[in-house]
Amino acid sequence: MAQPLSEDAIFTCGRKLLIAEGKISFTISSDGIEVKFPTTRKISTELDVPHYYVLPYFAGLEANGYLTRTERVGIFTTPAGSRRLFTGISDEEQAQVEKILGRKIMDALFETEV
């Protein structure tokens, strides 16, 4: 059965897929950390909904400054999106993410913008 869709469901699903894969690709700049997000097709498959159902949510996340999408490059969180991706995670998820990224990068994800 399909899960209800929301921006939070997209982030929760994205985090779940990243943890399950066991690797998280990211870029660090003076602006913050940007995480390569799973594709819209992977998200729709995981949520068990048609691909076109998730597209408006990705558009909303992009319009709200949480994601950037570039054709043939991929989907990346903005620094604000990276923080949102890992905010409110369970202790178990945090341990899994920390195992992948390390403590210093986990700390950097949660630094507030200046």
Side-chain angles (χ1 to χ4, degrees), residues 6 10 12-13 23 39 66 71 83 102-103 112 114:
S6 68
I10 299 295
T12 299
C13 182
K23 65 180 181 178
T39 66
Y66 292 114
E71 190 173 337
R83 283 188 298 280
R103 181 79 247 161
T112 56
V114 181

Side-chain angles (χ1 to χ4, degrees), residues 50-62:
H51 177 252
Y52 56 86
Y53 277 26
V54 301
L55 295 177
Y57 293 94
F58 275 84
L61 289 165
E62 188 171 24

Side-chain angles (χ1 to χ4, degrees), residues 68-81:
T68 58
R69 298 182 290 173
T70 306
E71 190 173 337
R72 299 180 194 256
V73 175
I75 302 165
F76 288 84
T77 60
T78 62

Side-chain angles (χ1 to χ4, degrees), residues 27-39:
T27 303
I28 300 174
S29 71
S30 59
D31 294 331
I33 297 174
E34 298 172 347
V35 175
K36 184 159 175 90
F37 205 74
T39 66

